[in-house]
Amino acid sequence: MCLKVVETNSKGGTGCTTDVVNIGHRLATRDQRTVIFGLDRQVNAEMLLNVEGGKEGVKYLEHVITDPKCVIRPASTKIVVGKKEIELKRENLFYVPGSAEYAGFADTLAGRLNQKESVADRLELLKVVGDRIFSVGDNVDGEKADVVLVDTPKSGPLQQAAIACADWTIIKFRYDYMSL
């Protein structure tokens, strides 16, 4: 069974992305097949992992949500040694890139949620989307993942969908006056 974990907050600057990347990296070094799904529009996970995301992330998100047979590939980094470019693959660590353009997808989802009459209907739609988000763990380079870590935006329907289907939710907040 794949463990589904969401780390989220209601305010930026609490270190959620850093935590998700560090936890994911640590689990991967402990032989846990780990997927990091960057739903956060700020795409900071790409910088921390030194991988490319950007507009490519929109294609990944739509693909993951709509295609149950979508295969997630290992996170890899291209580095230059001398004059040679070398691709380093991270053992047991997989990544679905984020994108600033997730906002359009989130807006579409929010519109569909607003069309639902009852709270139960809205929750059902969120669960469908959340299940699809976590389905990235079903086909990780041909096998199931042990853990899927989702780094969510600080608010909105993508955050709600991920929380609705998570086994664990880590909610971070800043330790200063009036943060809650």
Side-chain angles (χ1 to χ4, degrees):
M1 183 177 106
C2 179
L3 180 65
K4 301 177 264 185
V5 181
V6 171
E7 183 152 349
T8 191
N9 65 7
S10 61
K11 193 173 185 165
T14 60
C16 283
T17 301
T18 304
D19 284 352
V20 166
V21 169
N22 286 330
I23 291 168
H25 183 266
R26 185 63 178 155
L27 288 168
T29 62
R30 297 285 185 160
D31 293 328
Q32 298 291 306
R33 294 174 65 76
T34 305
V35 177
I36 296 174
F37 198 151
L39 284 179
D40 192 353
R41 298 175 201 148
Q42 293 177 338
V43 297
N44 289 331
E46 283 82 3
M47 180 184 64
L48 293 169
L49 287 167
N50 195 26
V51 296
E52 292 187 26
K55 289 192 179 234
E56 196 74 6
V58 175
K59 181 174 75 181
Y60 273 48
L61 177 65
E62 290 171 359
H63 211 101
V64 164
I65 298 278
T66 60
D67 181 5
K69 294 181 180 163
C70 178
V71 176
I72 307 303
R73 300 284 178 214
S76 61
T77 303
K78 289 184 180 171
I79 61 169
V80 177
V81 178
K83 294 183 179 182
K84 279 183 139 178
E85 187 174 86
I86 300 171
E87 185 174 14
L88 299 175
K89 290 195 174 161
R90 293 181 169 100
E91 193 72 27
N92 293 318
L93 186 62
F94 302 83
Y95 183 64
V96 179
S99 172
E101 295 183 21
Y102 280 178
F105 183 83
D107 289 345
T108 301
L109 179 55
R112 288 184 62 199
L113 285 169
N114 288 335
Q115 293 172 355
K116 300 294 181 186
E117 298 268 331
S118 70
V119 173
D121 289 343
R122 290 178 184 186
L123 186 57
E124 188 59 36
L125 178 58
L126 287 173
K127 285 184 177 180
V128 167
V129 174
D131 283 341
R132 292 301 309 136
I133 289 169
F134 282 112
S135 72
V136 298
D138 293 342
N139 197 357
V140 179
D141 217 18
E143 296 181 34
K144 284 197 177 270
D146 297 307
V147 181
V148 175
L149 295 166
V150 178
D151 180 27
T152 69
K154 60 186 176 187
S155 64
L158 290 176
Q159 178 198 54
Q160 294 163 8
I163 290 171
C165 293
D167 295 321
W168 293 357
T169 301
I170 302 167
I171 302 173
K172 299 257 319 223
F173 59 93
R174 295 173 65 173
Y175 299 105
D176 58 5
Y177 184 69
M178 299 293 285
S179 283
L180 296 174

